[in-house]
Structure formats: C-alpha cells, structure tokens
Amino acid sequence: MIYKNIGQRIQKAREEAGLSQEELATKLGLTQAALSNYELGKRRLYLANIEQIARELNKPLNYFLEDTVETIKTNEKKAQDETILEISKLLSELPLEERKNILEYIQWRKEKLK
Amino acid sequence: MIGFDLTEELLSHQKMAREFAEKEIIPYAAELDRRPGTVFDWNIVRRFAKTGLLGLNVPKEYGGLGVDMLTAVIVAEEIGTACLGIMSAAAGNWLATTCLKHVGTENQKRRYFPMCCGENAGLAALALTEHDAGSDMAGIKTLATRKGDHYILNGAKTFITNAGIANFYIVFATSDPQKRHGGLSAFIVDGDSPGLTLGTVEDKLGLRSSQVGTLIFKDVKVPAENLLGAENTGFLIAMQTLDMSRPCLGGAAVGVSRAAYEIALSYARERKQYGRPIIENQGISFMLADMATEIEAARLLTWKAAWLIDQGMDSTKASSMCKVFATEMAESICSRAIQILGAHGYTSYWPVEKYYRDAKAMAIYEGTNQIQRMIIASML
Ligand SMILES: Cc1cc2nc3c(=O)[nH]c(=O)nc-3n(C[C@H](O)[C@H](O)[C@H](O)COP(=O)(O)OP(=O)(O)OC[C@H]3O[C@@H](n4cnc5c(N)ncnc54)[C@H](O)[C@@H]3O)c2cc1C
C-alpha cells in the first residue's frame, strides 16, 4: 500500500518534470524496468531511494511520504464519516418522538464529555 | 524460480542452527521457563555470541554473518524448534539490525553493528510500543525535541524485548503528537545514556526467559547524528522494518509447530489404548496429517515472503500473510499436540504446554494478527 502511494507520487512528479521513465531511470542509474516497478509499487523503496528521486525531481522528501500519511488520515476520517452517515440514516427511519429522545441523549453525552 | 532444493550454503546454515539449538538451547529451555521471577540469564547472550547469531543479518563487512532473508528464515525455524523465549533475545537484535541495515548511515553502521557481532556481541532492541500506542503507532507520545546538535527524548516505551539489557535501542519518537504518522522519527539511543532507565519487567505467560519491559526516557540526550533516515520518516522506517522481520517470525512459528508435531507423532505411535497405538485411530492420525500439511504450507508462505524480500520486491502482503497463517497455526498445532498427549501433554514433564504458552505471544507482537489482516485487506 505504502509503496503504491509513493510510486504514484513518483510518476506524478516525473511527468510534471517532463521526463520519460527512461530519462529518469538513466539519471538515477536504474533500468527503466526497475523504475517502472517502483512507480507500480512492486519494488521495495528504501528511504535512500526516495531521497535520491526527490533530489532528481527537485521535490522535498515529504512530497512522497506525506501522501502515505494523507491516505491514512483520509481513511481515518472516512471511517468517522461513515459512522455519522450510518447514524443519520438510522435516525431518519425512527419516529419524531424517538429522534428527540436520541438528540437529548447526545446532548447529555456531550455535556458529560466536556 | 520454482525449485525447493536448498543450496549447499543454506543447508550449512540450517545445520549450524540445528546443532546450536540442540546443544545450546534445548538443554536450558525448561529450566529457564520455570525459573521464578524475571532475572535475565546472561548465558543466553554468551551462547548466541559464540555462533555469531546475534549478528545474523549484519553484513559481513561489519562483522556479521550477512545472510539473506531466506537463510534467516531457515535459521529462525531451527531455533524456533528449541525455545521461542531464548530466541527472543536474538530476535530483538534482528529487528534492530534489520532497521539499521536499511536506513543507517555508514557511520551509524560502523559504530553500532559491531555491538551485535563477534564473541563479545551484546543485545539490541527496537522500541515502538507505548502505553497508549500499541497497534496505533501514530499515537506515539515520546517526544523528541531538537536542541542544538542534540535531540532530547522524554517518554516511556512499554513491552520492549531486551529492555534494560541492550547496548542500543532504536527508538521511535515524535516531534509533535498532533502530527500523528507524519511526526515520527527514529533514533539510535545508547543503552547507557544518562536519563534512560528500566521500569517494570513483565512477568509473562510464556517466553519466560525473555526480558520484556518498560524503558523510561527522562531528558535523554541523543546526538543529532543518531537520527535514522530523515526527520518525520519514522513511520515508513517502522513499517519497512516490521515487513522485513515478519518472515523470521513466521519461520520461528513453523519451528515451534514442528517441534510440537514431532513429539505428538512419536507419542501417538507409542501410546497404547484399547490394545493398540492411538495413532491407529483416524481421529488421531487425521489430526497429525493436518498438522503436517499446515506446517508445510506455512513454511512455503514464509519462504515466499523471504524470497520477495531478497528480490527487492514489495513483500508487505506476503509478510503479513505468513505472519498470520504461521502464528495462528502454531498456537493451534501446540494445542492439538497437547490433546494428543492427553493429561501428559498438560503437564510440564512434556514441553508442549510450554510451546503453547510461548506460541501465543506471536499473534500479538510485531503487529497483532488483526492488524496484519487490516494490511492484507488493504492490498486485496
Ligand atoms: C512478548 C512481547 C514482546 C514484545 N516486544 C516488543 C518490542 O520489542 N518492541 C515493541 O515496540 N513492542 C513490543 N511488544 C508490543 C507489541 O508490539 C504490542 O503489544 C502490539 O503492537 C499490540 O499493542 P497492544 O498490546 O497495545 O494492543 P492494542 O493495540 O491495545 O490492541 C488490543 C486488541 O485490539 C485489537 N485491535 C486494535 N486496533 C484494532 C483495529 N483497528 N481493528 C481490529 N482490532 C484492533 C488488537 O489486535 C488486539 O487484539 C511486545 C509484546 C509482547 C507480548
């Protein structure tokens, strides 16, 4: 997963720099197949590899790593959003009186957590 | 690639590990398992050091055995047949040296690798887990604050194998807990750093000869040159290190399963009830057939993960698969071995109850099996 995300970033940065896989591979001293495997996330990328690629493509190291972190963050966010979605879906199926009770309960919980 | 004959070199490492396990581990395993309290037995380190196994994956130019991952897995299986508890001391080193090997600078390697190599080799450890950050590594709160040419570490690491007895620790800390994954960095911390102390040493169900405890950091000064990789790259470093160490854990799980299975097999052939050996009942022989089949399958999975690593390919999914499969198999095979031995298997006269207690831990450490399933699922 991690390598796939980093690989996509490498491809994006390479294309932005207007380089073909072959051109970047030559600069890095790699074969085109090896770079292609990096971009596809099939080969293990060590930090040193990423640092070298970052230098060649003139990007900060974080450009390649933050993506991984971002994906994790969005996954975490998504999980939260899904619970909210689920709650509102179930709530809408309840009669008004019940919905009011639950609203009160949520307000009470929120008060308690303060 | 398909072909399962081990090369001469692999066979010679396997033989070395097997002889070491027989002569230097098995004779002490039961005694260390039953000792009261939690005092670490330093003879474990001395015996390992004599064979160079503490520096198993340290490249030869730094004094290690410099083996590839497939060899390491085969060695781990042999040692796993003898005692997972005693093995833990060496496994702590393997974790730390795997990390150093892949991200360490030349100076870091020159300074720290020799501490795990040769006759005087000592221990090392990898310290990730904290009270509030187990599975969720991004919850790490141990703070690393840059001050001039040093970092200052404050916090505590829990459940660390080789805590308090290692020459150096690879410690994961954060520059800002709010940044979660993005704020983690890895540091090499000398075992004798002022301000670094050993807290609780755990009294455990199994792995009783292994020292697992809490490390407390109070204003521990770490030279800036001891930062591993770059700042804020700790998450990637930790993930990679664990990915590359899981096949050895798989190998060890195959080893303990093999030991339990072999005892169960010979017992089932000897033990007579109703006038015939119990193995003549399908209820027993099918259990043994399943055990043999599962061991074979788990071994192949660990070899595949190791092979991927040796090829420089991404092994994340295969590593997690071999960890889940082999460690759950180990617990279940040890349980079935106890069943085959009946009441005898439940006593400490036979080693299978110890194997069972030891094997249970493997589903928890180096990422619980639930977390492995999350990794596998994310890559389906
Ligand atoms: C013998 C031993 C040696 C160890 N050695 C080391 C060491 O050398 N270095 C080190 O850093 N750590 C070490 N550990 C710690 C180990 O890595 C942690 O115990 C492990 O990562 C789990 O953390 P936790 O115990 O806090 O469990 P928690 O993270 O609190 O998990 C509790 C339970 O919840 C489950 N769970 C958590 N999150 C999820 C989720 N999102 N989905 C589904 N289930 C979930 C877990 O799988 C587990 O079953 C060791 C542990 C043991 C037992």
Side-chain angles (χ1 to χ4, degrees), chain B residues 65-146:
Chain B
L65 296 185
V67 305
D68 61 11
M69 192 45 83
L70 186 58
T71 314
V73 161
I74 282 165
V75 166
E77 177 178 332
E78 293 308 319
I79 299 179
T81 62
C83 176
L84 293 178
I86 293 177
M87 179 179 186
S88 292
N93 278 39
W94 301 345
L95 264 173
T97 54
T98 299
C99 185
L100 193 52
K101 186 163 132 185
H102 296 298
V103 286
T105 61
E106 189 54 30
N107 280 344
Q108 290 168 340
K109 290 177 184 173
R110 292 247 163 259
R111 169 134 197 240
Y112 290 97
F113 273 153
M115 296 183 185
C116 301
C117 303
E119 292 262 321
N120 295 319
L123 299 177
L126 190 89
L128 270 163
T129 309
E130 298 181 2
H131 183 267
D132 292 326
S135 301
D136 182 13
M137 198 192 298
I140 283 178
K141 289 194 189 115
T142 296
L143 261 187
T145 319
R146 178 91 192 219

Side-chain angles (χ1 to χ4, degrees), chain A residues 1-3 6 37 41-47 50-51 61-62 65 68-69 72-73 76, chain B residues 102-103 180-182 229-230 233 235-236 239-240 244 308-309 311-314 316 378-379:
Chain A
M1 199 63 182
I2 291 188
Y3 303 116
I6 300 174
N37 277 333
K42 285 192 184 164
R43 262 189 99 75
R44 193 174 336 110
L45 273 155
Y46 292 114
L47 199 57
I50 309 172
E51 278 172 333
L61 184 58
N62 267 353
L65 298 183
T68 345
V69 173
I72 291 159
K73 274 193 197 146
E76 278 170 3
Chain B
H102 296 298
V103 286
R180 304 238 334 134
H181 306 87
T233 59
F235 186 68
L236 177 75
M239 287 300 175
Q240 269 185 339
M244 282 191 272
L308 281 170
I309 291 173
Q311 300 303 309
M313 302 308 276
D314 175 19
T316 314
S378 76
M379 297 183 76

Side-chain angles (χ1 to χ4, degrees), chain B residues 88 91-92 95 124-137 140 157-163 170 172 202 204 206-207 210-213 242 358 360-374:
Chain B
S88 292
L95 264 173
L126 190 89
L128 270 163
T129 309
E130 298 181 2
H131 183 267
D132 292 326
S135 301
D136 182 13
M137 198 192 298
I140 283 178
K157 294 283 171 186
T158 53
F159 298 111
I160 307 306
T161 301
N162 293 343
I170 292 182
F172 291 79
E202 304 298 339
K204 311 182 291 314
L207 305 179
S210 160
Q211 175 149 317
V212 172
L242 293 172
D358 288 350
K360 177 68 223 180
M362 293 195 290
I364 300 170
Y365 60 64
E366 289 188 31
T368 68
N369 284 8
Q370 284 73 34
I371 300 304
Q372 302 314 307
R373 287 185 167 88
M374 281 167 58

